[in-house]
Amino acid sequence: MTTHTQYRTDPAIDIITGVCPHDCPDTCSWQVAVDRASGRAVDIWGHPDHPVTQGRLCGKVDRYLERTYHAGRLTTPLKRVGPKGSGQFEPVSWEQALSDIGSRLQAIIAEHGAEAVLPYSYAGTMGLLQGDGMAARFFHRLGASHLAQTICSEAGFEGYRYTIGATEGIDTVDFAHARLILIWGSNTLTSNLHLWPFVQAARKQGARVIVIDPARTRTADAADEWIAIRPGTDGALALAMMQVIVAEGLHDQAYVDAYTVGFAELKAAAAAWTPARAAAITGVPAPRIEQLAREYATTRPAAIRINYGMQRHYGGGMAMRTITCLPALIGAWRHRGGGIQLSASGNFRHLERSSLYRPDLLAGRTPRTINMNRLGDALSHDDARLARAHYRLRPVDPAPNPDQAGPPVMALIVYNSNPAAVAPDQAAVHAGLAREDLFTVVLEHFQTDTADYADYVLPATTQLEHWDILKPYGHLFLALNRPAIAPVGQSLPNSEIFRRLAAAMGYDDPCFSETDEAVLRDLVAAQTHPRFAGITWERLLAEGFARLNLPEPYLPFVEGNFPTPSGKCEFYSQRMADDGYPPVPVYTPPRWADELGKTAVAADEPPPLACISPPAHSFLNSTFVNLARFQRREGQPLLQIHPQDAAVRGICPGDVVEVANELGAVHLPAVITDAITPGTVLAPGVWWAKFSPGGRTINQVTPQDEADMGAGALFYDTLVTVRRAR
Ligand SMILES: Nc1nc2c(c(=O)[nH]1)N[C@H]1C(S)=C(S)[C@@H](COP(=O)(O)OP(=O)(O)OC[C@H]3O[C@@H](n4cnc5c(=O)[nH]c(N)nc54)[C@H](O)[C@@H]3O)O[C@H]1N2
Ligand SMILES: Nc1nc2c(c(=O)[nH]1)N[C@H]1C(S)=C(S)[C@@H](COP(=O)(O)OP(=O)(O)OC[C@H]3O[C@@H](n4cnc5c(=O)[nH]c(N)nc54)[C@H](O)[C@@H]3O)O[C@H]1N2
Ligand code: SF4
Ligand SMILES: [Mo]
């Protein structure tokens, strides 16, 4: 008998059901034991009844109470008293902070217009309310610039949607039925732990698991095979697989005829992609490519778990679009456990959110949209750079001229994000944040790198302390989070902070006086799509989570029914042609390869290397980085380099190396390992700058440039020189 079940009969303990808020596909439901007398949470564990969580949290959130009660929690509003970035603050009252912020914002709006205010947020919490819920109301009412939330997945999402129509695919639980699983650009055991039991169940039935990744991750180690690939070259691999499949007649002609468009064009596009040609680009040997194509086309059911690692590249959108053609080509969608999964988010695409976000509060105004990946540019006083920071989704969208840039960003309001650590081109971001004339407000749990640059830091509650509803991207269960404990110190939910900011600005719309529970209850009640049938507020209160009203098992594309314009899987996409892309898959090389081709390298000098920086196991982006337990687990910021690449550079284990390019430089100790493919280096992320040598992280060398689609980020597409630091 576990202690968790003992809590159930302990009269001194309340058990509260909630859900993990983090940016992770698993969206685990949890239970928290709270000591009634003290109101203190004493334990947390995975909800035993949740079909995906299955009673287990990951090694990070297992320790959520340590994070919640950490001595470093921000407990009062803070006002800056030292230079920007120095982290010198003094506590102030909420009244003083709110009234000062209100008058500063009013003055900025009066002088520069409302677009001079920029919200900056991502998925510190994925909660619908504490994420962008009340904040969206506030910024809509204010008329602030919009933020395009492009930092993670947008290139891949666009590519996937052009082919299949929506980010739907294999249901996570159905991976158990697969007999071949390609884990493609994902580190499941780190970033999507709760998929693994289903992978293991499949293996018990004889499934083979192949990981395609530049790094031999812990997932690759645990798999049957690791296929090492050069970053950003996955599209070439997929084209060669198609070439082999079609040339050998291994495709599913009946499925192709019935449920796809553009097979002839696809066949023609793939024809030139011999395995030898793809081998030269990807580094995967030609015989292995051939064999992989055959194994993929002849094993049923064949599943692909594709993820974001392979799309943080210049050609990431097109690579995703290309790979997403594969399941239809071989008819994998016919089988339970066959197909592809990028994200389950598209299953929730019919969620009606306008009652939550209230875009009507814009009252006809159409503020500009800033691409969050270009925060450095957006914060500059240079109109050309500011214009470049405007969000441009597709090639056919006009690029604004400098004289259309709009007002400089004079106020930045950051919540649920830590851009000083996570955003690309860190030197540009820090320079922007250091601007004396920029008014910055940061809502946070901890004194992050970003908070150090704030004029005001406002203490926010954690998931243990507030209400929310979570929409997962790794499964089909909507989940309710109930607060388990009272707010720590004077912290407030984001929702309440934006409510009070609205009051400080003099906004009296009734939507700014609704309670959190009322907002969430109304959100649930506002759902009319059949997928939400049966999901009620009462049921969420009683059960904690509820599956979308979809068939069980859910095999979305057995008989086509793709949510594309044609209703078919689009090997040929007219929409892509209209948006300015090649309508049929092509290979789009990564930025690093392009630059390498243009770089003149002296004969006695080793060439530059591609650099990737996927997440460290014990961190969640930059969350958890400040907690000693997790820092100990990760050691220190470092650079993995292949023995061949180290040898030609005279680098010995533990040497500090300088990783540099035109954007900046960072000094990191080298770890020499064959767990990274030659020609590529890997710096695990995402460390805080203040815990990194010289206050600089690997994001010193990542570019602000956009991917081919969705204005997505290029974190894993940068070319660097690596040499022993002097
Ligand atoms: N523990 C932990 N879990 C997390 C996160 C975290 O930081 N820590 N972050 C969360 C977030 S925000 C996200 S977006 C997801 C991300 O989760 P994943 O999609 O799994 O993404 P990454 O870990 O960024 O990259 C996955 C793998 O892609 C590899 N990769 C890099 N470039 C390429 C390439 O060009 N081709 C191929 N085939 N592989 C490539 C990397 O080496 C890495 O092993 O995880 C979430 N879960
Ligand atoms: N080099 C490199 N850079 C990367 C990546 C990479 O792989 N390599 N990954 C990229 C990806 S995929 C992503 S998604 C981004 C993620 O970047 P971010 O979304 O900025 O994620 P975090 O770094 O986790 O920062 C989230 C912050 O929100 C705070 N927070 C959490 N909950 C709340 C809340 O309820 N209220 C308030 N006010 N604050 C809260 C946390 O304390 C934390 O500091 O980073 C990107 N940056
Ligand atoms: S971070 Fe992911 S795996 Fe860990 S508890 Fe949260 S949802 Fe689950
Ligand atoms: Mo992400």
Side-chain angles (χ1 to χ4, degrees):
M1 173 163 293
T2 68
T3 53
H4 303 157
T5 48
Q6 283 161 7
Y7 287 132
R8 275 178 237 293
T9 52
D10 186 339
I13 294 290
D14 276 330
I15 295 181
I16 311 291
T17 295
V19 57
C20 177
H22 286 301
D23 187 353
C24 168
D26 300 358
T27 305
C28 295
S29 283
W30 67 33
Q31 293 184 318
V32 185
V34 181
D35 177 64
R36 271 196 195 156
S38 64
R40 215 177 146 87
V42 292
D43 205 349
I44 185 167
W45 61 91
H47 201 298
D49 303 334
H50 193 286
V52 179
T53 307
Q54 297 190 349
R56 285 189 59 207
L57 301 174
C58 65
K60 308 175 292 297
V61 175
D62 242 354
R63 301 287 175 172
Y64 209 68
L65 304 188
E66 278 176 30
R67 185 176 186 276
T68 302
Y69 292 122
H70 192 270
R73 264 298 289 280
L74 297 166
T75 53
T76 66
L78 299 172
K79 180 185 163 83
R80 176 167 71 91
V81 293
K84 291 235 173 182
S86 70
Q88 295 168 46
F89 292 88
E90 67 178 21
V92 291
S93 67
W94 272 109
E95 292 67 31
Q96 187 191 332
L98 291 164
S99 90
D100 199 14
I101 295 168
S103 46
R104 290 291 297 272
L105 292 179
Q106 294 289 20
I108 287 167
I109 294 167
E111 189 179 346
H112 300 277
E115 283 183 318
V117 179
L118 178 68
Y120 191 95
S121 70
Y122 201 63
T125 166
M126 299 202 305
L128 288 166
L129 175 58
Q130 309 303 344
D132 288 322
M134 193 59 76
R137 293 181 176 182
F138 176 77
F139 290 112
H140 282 143
R141 173 66 182 79
L142 190 149
S145 288
H146 293 305
L147 185 78
Q149 293 177 316
T150 49
I151 202 163
C152 176
S153 55
E154 283 312 291
F157 268 34
E158 286 294 305
Y160 195 94
R161 285 190 290 239
Y162 278 126
T163 306
I164 287 186
T167 50
E168 284 198 44
I170 311 176
D171 186 357
T172 291
V173 299
D174 282 342
F175 275 84
H177 296 272
R179 290 299 168 266
L180 176 70
I181 300 175
L182 306 185
I183 297 183
W184 201 327
S186 186
N187 187 0
T188 309
L189 279 172
T190 287
S191 59
N192 178 199
L193 186 65
H194 292 81
L195 173 61
W196 195 251
F198 301 103
V199 172
Q200 289 297 75
R203 290 173 98 181
K204 283 213 182 81
Q205 303 297 319
R208 252 169 62 75
V209 178
I210 301 174
V211 170
I212 304 173
D213 198 302
R216 197 178 68 232
T217 57
R218 63 178 69 209
T219 310
D221 266 333
D224 297 296
E225 189 182 347
W226 170 42
I227 295 184
I229 188 166
R230 293 195 186 110
T233 64
D234 304 86
L237 176 60
L239 282 161
M241 286 172 70
M242 290 174 183
Q243 189 273 329
V244 174
I245 289 168
V246 175
E248 299 187 0
L250 299 176
H251 59 287
D252 182 336
Q253 192 69 51
Y255 192 93
V256 165
D257 289 345
Y259 306 126
T260 74
V261 288
F263 176 66
E265 290 91 337
L266 184 76
K267 186 175 169 181
W273 281 94
T274 61
R277 182 175 172 202
I281 291 171
T282 59
V284 183
R288 187 64 198 96
I289 297 177
E290 255 172 68
Q291 206 188 339
L292 178 68
R294 292 187 194 124
E295 189 178 352
Y296 175 66
T298 57
T299 312
R300 294 188 174 78
I304 301 177
R305 168 57 172 154
I306 191 122
N307 219 235
Y308 307 128
M310 54 68 63
Q311 54 90 61
R312 295 199 179 104
H313 302 275
Y314 177 70
M318 187 59 88
M320 182 68 74
R321 181 265 189 288
T322 304
I323 296 167
T324 306
C325 292
L326 282 168
L329 186 65
I330 64 157
W333 292 114
R334 293 178 187 277
H335 316 285
R336 186 174 190 187
I340 186 167
Q341 184 201 63
L342 169 62
S343 162
S345 57
N347 292 291
F348 294 86
R349 66 189 182 282
H350 304 288
L351 186 83
E352 157 52 44
R353 269 175 282 192
S354 58
S355 66
L356 177 61
Y357 293 163
R358 297 292 308 273
D360 57 296
L361 293 170
L362 277 167
R365 294 167 295 176
T366 53
R368 67 183 171 192
T369 301
I370 298 291
N371 179 359
M372 74 186 296
N373 293 329
R374 288 213 179 259
L375 181 63
D377 282 340
L379 294 182
S380 80
H381 268 300
D382 175 338
D383 279 344
R385 290 178 63 191
L386 183 55
R388 198 162 70 189
H390 282 224
Y391 176 54
R392 196 163 159 252
L393 175 62
R394 310 163 301 175
V396 291
D397 295 325
N401 295 318
D403 61 358
Q404 300 166 311
V409 175
M410 300 304 293
L412 181 72
I413 302 182
V414 182
Y415 56 103
N416 303 336
S417 186
N418 183 12
V422 304
D425 195 355
Q426 191 164 66
V429 171
H430 286 203
L433 291 172
R435 260 175 52 201
E436 273 304 325
D437 65 342
L438 177 71
F439 180 63
T440 301
V441 179
V442 176
L443 286 60
E444 251 303 344
H445 298 153
F446 291 102
Q447 190 66 35
T448 58
D449 291 333
T450 309
D452 281 350
Y453 284 96
D455 291 280
Y456 277 99
V457 183
L458 304 178
T461 48
T462 72
Q463 191 81 340
L464 286 194
E465 302 148 67
H466 55 227
W467 286 96
D468 220 330
I469 287 181
L470 269 285
K471 175 177 77 64
Y473 63 91
H475 56 74
L476 303 176
F477 293 83
L478 201 71
L480 178 71
N481 186 71
R482 279 173 186 257
I485 60 171
V488 169
Q490 295 177 32
S491 65
L492 293 173
N494 288 347
S495 53
E496 179 62 17
I497 298 176
F498 282 108
R499 243 182 235 118
R500 293 188 188 191
L501 279 173
M505 298 288 285
Y507 304 157
D508 56 6
D509 313 66
C511 75
F512 294 118
S513 37
E514 293 166 12
T515 65
D516 287 356
E517 280 174 83
V519 173
L520 293 173
R521 203 183 332 107
D522 291 350
L523 176 69
V524 177
Q527 304 312 316
T528 52
H529 194 277
R531 286 190 177 193
F532 295 94
I535 302 183
T536 61
W537 177 248
E538 289 69 27
R539 188 170 156 213
L540 289 172
L541 280 176
E543 296 170 25
F545 47 86
R547 188 177 183 272
L548 285 180
N549 178 33
L550 288 167
E552 231 175 326
Y554 182 49
L555 277 58
F557 310 131
V558 179
E559 294 177 337
N561 291 318
F562 291 93
T564 53
S566 64
K568 300 188 171 187
C569 175
E570 300 199 343
F571 298 155
Y572 180 96
S573 163
Q574 186 56 45
R575 208 156 59 85
M576 289 183 75
D578 296 344
D579 288 351
Y581 297 107
V584 183
V586 294
Y587 175 58
T588 309
R591 176 185 181 275
W592 69 261
D594 218 43
E595 302 216 326
L596 186 61
K598 289 186 244 159
T599 309
V601 184
D604 57 345
E605 238 183 85
L609 302 167
C611 175
I612 63 175
S613 50
H617 184 72
S618 311
F619 303 150
L620 204 138
N621 301 321
S622 80
T623 305
F624 298 101
V625 176
N626 57 321
L627 306 190
R629 174 185 300 278
F630 301 104
Q631 275 195 14
R632 269 198 309 276
R633 287 185 190 168
E634 290 303 326
Q636 58 182 336
L638 54 86
L639 187 81
Q640 295 182 4
I641 184 166
H642 191 273
Q644 289 166 17
D645 294 323
V648 293
R649 289 168 182 77
I651 296 167
C652 299
D655 278 355
V656 173
V657 294
E658 184 200 66
V659 185
N661 63 15
E662 73 286 2
L663 298 169
V666 55
H667 286 187
L668 297 168
V671 172
I672 301 176
T673 170
D674 64 1
I676 182 74
T677 197
T680 299
V681 288
L682 184 155
V686 183
W687 282 87
W688 288 17
K690 65 171 95 174
F691 300 127
S692 301
R696 292 187 252 165
T697 78
I698 198 66
N699 276 327
Q700 289 282 336
V701 297
T702 54
Q704 296 184 59
D705 304 46
E706 291 94 349
D708 57 342
M709 293 182 193
L714 298 190
F715 287 110
Y716 306 163
D717 193 357
T718 183
L719 192 69
V720 295
T721 57
V722 178
R723 59 168 71 94
R724 279 173 59 189
R726 268 176 283 276

